[in-house]
PDB file of all heavy atoms in Angstrom:
ATOM      1  N   GLN M   1      68.758   7.052  16.368  1.00  0.00           N
ATOM      2  CA  GLN M   1      69.868   6.560  15.563  1.00  0.00           C
ATOM      3  C   GLN M   1      70.173   7.582  14.479  1.00  0.00           C
ATOM      4  O   GLN M   1      69.282   8.291  14.005  1.00  0.00           O
ATOM      5  CB  GLN M   1      69.521   5.216  14.932  1.00  0.00           C
ATOM      6  CG  GLN M   1      69.350   4.094  15.938  1.00  0.00           C
ATOM      7  CD  GLN M   1      69.008   2.774  15.279  1.00  0.00           C
ATOM      8  OE1 GLN M   1      68.821   2.690  14.062  1.00  0.00           O
ATOM      9  NE2 GLN M   1      68.907   1.722  16.081  1.00  0.00           N
ATOM     10  N   GLY M   2      71.443   7.665  14.118  1.00  0.00           N
ATOM     11  CA  GLY M   2      71.817   8.633  13.100  1.00  0.00           C
ATOM     12  C   GLY M   2      73.113   8.261  12.408  1.00  0.00           C
ATOM     13  O   GLY M   2      73.768   7.267  12.750  1.00  0.00           O
ATOM     14  N   ARG M   3      73.464   9.074  11.438  1.00  0.00           N
ATOM     15  CA  ARG M   3      74.671   8.859  10.649  1.00  0.00           C
ATOM     16  C   ARG M   3      75.538  10.111  10.728  1.00  0.00           C
ATOM     17  O   ARG M   3      75.060  11.223  10.528  1.00  0.00           O
ATOM     18  CB  ARG M   3      74.309   8.552   9.196  1.00  0.00           C
ATOM     19  CG  ARG M   3      75.482   8.372   8.258  1.00  0.00           C
ATOM     20  CD  ARG M   3      75.040   7.732   6.957  1.00  0.00           C
ATOM     21  NE  ARG M   3      74.538   6.373   7.201  1.00  0.00           N
ATOM     22  CZ  ARG M   3      74.115   5.570   6.244  1.00  0.00           C
ATOM     23  NH1 ARG M   3      74.099   5.953   4.990  1.00  0.00           N
ATOM     24  NH2 ARG M   3      73.684   4.350   6.538  1.00  0.00           N
ATOM     25  N   TRP M   4      76.794   9.905  11.053  1.00  0.00           N
ATOM     26  CA  TRP M   4      77.754  11.012  11.092  1.00  0.00           C
ATOM     27  C   TRP M   4      78.048  11.410   9.645  1.00  0.00           C
ATOM     28  O   TRP M   4      78.475  10.578   8.847  1.00  0.00           O
ATOM     29  CB  TRP M   4      79.019  10.559  11.797  1.00  0.00           C
ATOM     30  CG  TRP M   4      79.971  11.662  12.169  1.00  0.00           C
ATOM     31  CD1 TRP M   4      80.971  12.168  11.418  1.00  0.00           C
ATOM     32  CD2 TRP M   4      80.010  12.357  13.415  1.00  0.00           C
ATOM     33  NE1 TRP M   4      81.638  13.154  12.089  1.00  0.00           N
ATOM     34  CE2 TRP M   4      81.083  13.298  13.329  1.00  0.00           C
ATOM     35  CE3 TRP M   4      79.270  12.308  14.591  1.00  0.00           C
ATOM     36  CZ2 TRP M   4      81.410  14.156  14.383  1.00  0.00           C
ATOM     37  CZ3 TRP M   4      79.597  13.156  15.629  1.00  0.00           C
ATOM     38  CH2 TRP M   4      80.656  14.066  15.531  1.00  0.00           C
ATOM     39  N   VAL M   5      77.774  12.658   9.293  1.00  0.00           N
ATOM     40  CA  VAL M   5      77.923  13.074   7.897  1.00  0.00           C
ATOM     41  C   VAL M   5      79.108  14.014   7.745  1.00  0.00           C
ATOM     42  O   VAL M   5      79.514  14.710   8.679  1.00  0.00           O
ATOM     43  CB  VAL M   5      76.642  13.762   7.366  1.00  0.00           C
ATOM     44  CG1 VAL M   5      75.479  12.795   7.389  1.00  0.00           C
ATOM     45  CG2 VAL M   5      76.305  15.002   8.164  1.00  0.00           C
ATOM     46  N   ASP M   6      79.652  13.998   6.547  1.00  0.00           N
ATOM     47  CA  ASP M   6      80.793  14.849   6.228  1.00  0.00           C
ATOM     48  C   ASP M   6      80.400  16.314   6.329  1.00  0.00           C
ATOM     49  O   ASP M   6      79.278  16.703   5.997  1.00  0.00           O
ATOM     50  CB  ASP M   6      81.282  14.532   4.807  1.00  0.00           C
ATOM     51  CG  ASP M   6      82.572  15.244   4.482  1.00  0.00           C
ATOM     52  OD1 ASP M   6      82.473  16.394   4.014  1.00  0.00           O
ATOM     53  OD2 ASP M   6      83.648  14.663   4.679  1.00  0.00           O
ATOM     54  N   GLY M   7      81.313  17.132   6.764  1.00  0.00           N
ATOM     55  CA  GLY M   7      81.024  18.551   6.927  1.00  0.00           C
ATOM     56  C   GLY M   7      80.661  19.237   5.628  1.00  0.00           C
ATOM     57  O   GLY M   7      80.020  20.298   5.631  1.00  0.00           O
ATOM     58  N   ASP M   8      81.060  18.657   4.483  1.00  0.00           N
ATOM     59  CA  ASP M   8      80.742  19.247   3.187  1.00  0.00           C
ATOM     60  C   ASP M   8      79.378  18.788   2.656  1.00  0.00           C
ATOM     61  O   ASP M   8      78.950  19.216   1.599  1.00  0.00           O
ATOM     62  CB  ASP M   8      81.823  18.884   2.159  1.00  0.00           C
ATOM     63  CG  ASP M   8      83.178  19.490   2.533  1.00  0.00           C
ATOM     64  OD1 ASP M   8      83.174  20.573   3.147  1.00  0.00           O
ATOM     65  OD2 ASP M   8      84.206  18.873   2.208  1.00  0.00           O
ATOM     66  N   ASP M   9      78.720  17.882   3.383  1.00  0.00           N
ATOM     67  CA  ASP M   9      77.419  17.379   2.937  1.00  0.00           C
ATOM     68  C   ASP M   9      76.348  18.412   3.274  1.00  0.00           C
ATOM     69  O   ASP M   9      75.949  18.564   4.424  1.00  0.00           O
ATOM     70  CB  ASP M   9      77.112  16.052   3.643  1.00  0.00           C
ATOM     71  CG  ASP M   9      75.896  15.357   3.061  1.00  0.00           C
ATOM     72  OD1 ASP M   9      75.056  16.041   2.454  1.00  0.00           O
ATOM     73  OD2 ASP M   9      75.796  14.122   3.219  1.00  0.00           O
ATOM     74  N   LYS M  10      75.880  19.128   2.293  1.00  0.00           N
ATOM     75  CA  LYS M  10      74.919  20.208   2.504  1.00  0.00           C
ATOM     76  C   LYS M  10      73.506  19.816   2.050  1.00  0.00           C
ATOM     77  O   LYS M  10      72.660  20.683   1.834  1.00  0.00           O
ATOM     78  CB  LYS M  10      75.363  21.469   1.750  1.00  0.00           C
ATOM     79  CG  LYS M  10      76.764  21.942   2.106  1.00  0.00           C
ATOM     80  CD  LYS M  10      76.878  22.330   3.574  1.00  0.00           C
ATOM     81  CE  LYS M  10      78.278  22.883   3.894  1.00  0.00           C
ATOM     82  NZ  LYS M  10      78.433  23.202   5.323  1.00  0.00           N
ATOM     83  N   ARG M  11      73.268  18.523   1.894  1.00  0.00           N
ATOM     84  CA  ARG M  11      71.956  18.109   1.423  1.00  0.00           C
ATOM     85  C   ARG M  11      70.861  18.554   2.383  1.00  0.00           C
ATOM     86  O   ARG M  11      70.998  18.432   3.606  1.00  0.00           O
ATOM     87  CB  ARG M  11      71.900  16.597   1.256  1.00  0.00           C
ATOM     88  CG  ARG M  11      72.623  16.078   0.026  1.00  0.00           C
ATOM     89  CD  ARG M  11      72.524  14.569  -0.055  1.00  0.00           C
ATOM     90  NE  ARG M  11      73.255  13.930   1.034  1.00  0.00           N
ATOM     91  CZ  ARG M  11      73.255  12.615   1.262  1.00  0.00           C
ATOM     92  NH1 ARG M  11      72.540  11.818   0.475  1.00  0.00           N
ATOM     93  NH2 ARG M  11      73.947  12.102   2.254  1.00  0.00           N
ATOM     94  N   SER M  12      69.769  19.042   1.824  1.00  0.00           N
ATOM     95  CA  SER M  12      68.628  19.438   2.643  1.00  0.00           C
ATOM     96  C   SER M  12      67.879  18.186   3.086  1.00  0.00           C
ATOM     97  O   SER M  12      67.876  17.175   2.391  1.00  0.00           O
ATOM     98  CB  SER M  12      67.691  20.344   1.846  1.00  0.00           C
ATOM     99  OG  SER M  12      68.346  21.527   1.446  1.00  0.00           O
ATOM    100  N   PRO M  13      67.237  18.246   4.250  1.00  0.00           N
ATOM    101  CA  PRO M  13      66.453  17.086   4.682  1.00  0.00           C
ATOM    102  C   PRO M  13      65.317  16.833   3.712  1.00  0.00           C
ATOM    103  O   PRO M  13      64.783  17.775   3.096  1.00  0.00           O
ATOM    104  CB  PRO M  13      65.932  17.511   6.061  1.00  0.00           C
ATOM    105  CG  PRO M  13      66.005  19.000   6.076  1.00  0.00           C
ATOM    106  CD  PRO M  13      67.190  19.341   5.225  1.00  0.00           C
ATOM    107  N   PRO M  14      64.941  15.574   3.502  1.00  0.00           N
ATOM    108  CA  PRO M  14      63.858  15.272   2.571  1.00  0.00           C
ATOM    109  C   PRO M  14      62.539  15.870   3.046  1.00  0.00           C
ATOM    110  O   PRO M  14      62.276  15.953   4.250  1.00  0.00           O
ATOM    111  CB  PRO M  14      63.810  13.738   2.576  1.00  0.00           C
ATOM    112  CG  PRO M  14      64.409  13.344   3.897  1.00  0.00           C
ATOM    113  CD  PRO M  14      65.463  14.363   4.189  1.00  0.00           C
ATOM    114  N   ALA M  15      61.729  16.305   2.089  1.00  0.00           N
ATOM    115  CA  ALA M  15      60.418  16.849   2.433  1.00  0.00           C
ATOM    116  C   ALA M  15      59.529  15.733   2.992  1.00  0.00           C
ATOM    117  O   ALA M  15      59.574  14.589   2.541  1.00  0.00           O
ATOM    118  CB  ALA M  15      59.776  17.476   1.206  1.00  0.00           C
ATOM    119  N   THR M  16      58.748  16.061   3.991  1.00  0.00           N
ATOM    120  CA  THR M  16      57.844  15.094   4.605  1.00  0.00           C
ATOM    121  C   THR M  16      56.404  15.448   4.260  1.00  0.00           C
ATOM    122  O   THR M  16      56.119  16.496   3.681  1.00  0.00           O
ATOM    123  CB  THR M  16      58.005  15.098   6.135  1.00  0.00           C
ATOM    124  OG1 THR M  16      57.494  16.348   6.652  1.00  0.00           O
ATOM    125  CG2 THR M  16      59.480  14.948   6.531  1.00  0.00           C
ATOM    126  N   VAL M  17      55.487  14.576   4.641  1.00  0.00           N
ATOM    127  CA  VAL M  17      54.074  14.864   4.387  1.00  0.00           C
ATOM    128  C   VAL M  17      53.638  16.111   5.142  1.00  0.00           C
ATOM    129  O   VAL M  17      52.706  16.805   4.719  1.00  0.00           O
ATOM    130  CB  VAL M  17      53.191  13.668   4.781  1.00  0.00           C
ATOM    131  CG1 VAL M  17      53.539  12.451   3.946  1.00  0.00           C
ATOM    132  CG2 VAL M  17      53.313  13.341   6.258  1.00  0.00           C
ATOM    133  N   PHE M  18      54.324  16.408   6.239  1.00  0.00           N
ATOM    134  CA  PHE M  18      53.981  17.614   6.994  1.00  0.00           C
ATOM    135  C   PHE M  18      54.391  18.875   6.227  1.00  0.00           C
ATOM    136  O   PHE M  18      53.801  19.934   6.406  1.00  0.00           O
ATOM    137  CB  PHE M  18      54.646  17.585   8.368  1.00  0.00           C
ATOM    138  CG  PHE M  18      54.175  16.452   9.236  1.00  0.00           C
ATOM    139  CD1 PHE M  18      54.906  15.268   9.324  1.00  0.00           C
ATOM    140  CD2 PHE M  18      52.992  16.543   9.953  1.00  0.00           C
ATOM    141  CE1 PHE M  18      54.464  14.213  10.112  1.00  0.00           C
ATOM    142  CE2 PHE M  18      52.546  15.506  10.745  1.00  0.00           C
ATOM    143  CZ  PHE M  18      53.279  14.333  10.821  1.00  0.00           C
ATOM    144  N   ASP M  19      55.419  18.737   5.378  1.00  0.00           N
ATOM    145  CA  ASP M  19      55.844  19.860   4.535  1.00  0.00           C
ATOM    146  C   ASP M  19      54.995  19.973   3.272  1.00  0.00           C
ATOM    147  O   ASP M  19      54.658  21.068   2.830  1.00  0.00           O
ATOM    148  CB  ASP M  19      57.318  19.699   4.126  1.00  0.00           C
ATOM    149  CG  ASP M  19      58.249  19.547   5.310  1.00  0.00           C
ATOM    150  OD1 ASP M  19      58.096  20.304   6.273  1.00  0.00           O
ATOM    151  OD2 ASP M  19      59.109  18.650   5.281  1.00  0.00           O
ATOM    152  N   MET M  20      54.652  18.824   2.686  1.00  0.00           N
ATOM    153  CA  MET M  20      53.995  18.803   1.379  1.00  0.00           C
ATOM    154  C   MET M  20      52.478  18.777   1.455  1.00  0.00           C
ATOM    155  O   MET M  20      51.796  19.093   0.484  1.00  0.00           O
ATOM    156  CB  MET M  20      54.477  17.591   0.579  1.00  0.00           C
ATOM    157  CG  MET M  20      55.980  17.554   0.329  1.00  0.00           C
ATOM    158  SD  MET M  20      56.474  16.136  -0.678  1.00  0.00           S
ATOM    159  CE  MET M  20      56.036  14.768   0.415  1.00  0.00           C
ATOM    160  N   GLY M  21      51.928  18.379   2.611  1.00  0.00           N
ATOM    161  CA  GLY M  21      50.485  18.254   2.731  1.00  0.00           C
ATOM    162  C   GLY M  21      49.778  19.600   2.699  1.00  0.00           C
ATOM    163  O   GLY M  21      50.380  20.652   2.929  1.00  0.00           O
ATOM    164  N   LYS M  22      48.495  19.550   2.418  1.00  0.00           N
ATOM    165  CA  LYS M  22      47.690  20.764   2.368  1.00  0.00           C
ATOM    166  C   LYS M  22      47.253  21.147   3.778  1.00  0.00           C
ATOM    167  O   LYS M  22      46.560  20.378   4.449  1.00  0.00           O
ATOM    168  CB  LYS M  22      46.453  20.549   1.492  1.00  0.00           C
ATOM    169  CG  LYS M  22      45.545  21.767   1.414  1.00  0.00           C
ATOM    170  CD  LYS M  22      44.304  21.480   0.587  1.00  0.00           C
ATOM    171  CE  LYS M  22      43.385  22.701   0.558  1.00  0.00           C
ATOM    172  NZ  LYS M  22      42.144  22.437  -0.225  1.00  0.00           N
ATOM    173  N   PRO M  23      47.639  22.342   4.250  1.00  0.00           N
ATOM    174  CA  PRO M  23      47.208  22.761   5.591  1.00  0.00           C
ATOM    175  C   PRO M  23      45.690  22.921   5.649  1.00  0.00           C
ATOM    176  O   PRO M  23      45.060  23.400   4.708  1.00  0.00           O
ATOM    177  CB  PRO M  23      47.913  24.106   5.790  1.00  0.00           C
ATOM    178  CG  PRO M  23      49.028  24.119   4.796  1.00  0.00           C
ATOM    179  CD  PRO M  23      48.529  23.334   3.625  1.00  0.00           C
ATOM    180  N   THR M  24      45.097  22.489   6.736  1.00  0.00           N
ATOM    181  CA  THR M  24      43.664  22.650   6.938  1.00  0.00           C
ATOM    182  C   THR M  24      43.424  23.027   8.388  1.00  0.00           C
ATOM    183  O   THR M  24      44.136  22.552   9.286  1.00  0.00           O
ATOM    184  CB  THR M  24      42.891  21.362   6.586  1.00  0.00           C
ATOM    185  OG1 THR M  24      41.499  21.569   6.779  1.00  0.00           O
ATOM    186  CG2 THR M  24      43.341  20.197   7.453  1.00  0.00           C
ATOM    187  N   ARG M  25      42.451  23.896   8.604  1.00  0.00           N
ATOM    188  CA  ARG M  25      42.171  24.319   9.977  1.00  0.00           C
ATOM    189  C   ARG M  25      41.682  23.140  10.808  1.00  0.00           C
ATOM    190  O   ARG M  25      42.028  23.004  11.980  1.00  0.00           O
ATOM    191  CB  ARG M  25      41.129  25.432   9.988  1.00  0.00           C
ATOM    192  CG  ARG M  25      40.855  25.988  11.393  1.00  0.00           C
ATOM    193  CD  ARG M  25      39.826  27.094  11.377  1.00  0.00           C
ATOM    194  NE  ARG M  25      39.631  27.636  12.718  1.00  0.00           N
ATOM    195  CZ  ARG M  25      38.831  27.088  13.632  1.00  0.00           C
ATOM    196  NH1 ARG M  25      38.167  25.983  13.345  1.00  0.00           N
ATOM    197  NH2 ARG M  25      38.712  27.644  14.835  1.00  0.00           N
ATOM    198  N   SER M  26      40.869  22.298  10.188  1.00  0.00           N
ATOM    199  CA  SER M  26      40.348  21.139  10.909  1.00  0.00           C
ATOM    200  C   SER M  26      39.938  20.062   9.914  1.00  0.00           C
ATOM    201  O   SER M  26      39.339  20.348   8.881  1.00  0.00           O
ATOM    202  CB  SER M  26      39.142  21.544  11.765  1.00  0.00           C
ATOM    203  OG  SER M  26      38.690  20.457  12.545  1.00  0.00           O
TER     204      SER M  26
END
């Protein structure tokens, strides 16, 4: 599901836990 957005809407996608979390090898 999604929303059709205006062509002028340049908002960046919200940061997720995968972006903000601390990377760890294991």
Side-chain angles (χ1 to χ4, degrees):
Q1 294 180 356
R3 177 165 296 182
W4 192 271
V5 298
D6 188 273
D8 296 329
D9 190 337
K10 304 298 183 183
R11 285 180 293 175
S12 299
T16 69
V17 298
F18 297 97
D19 304 315
M20 301 182 296
K22 179 183 178 181
T24 181
R25 184 180 182 277
S26 184

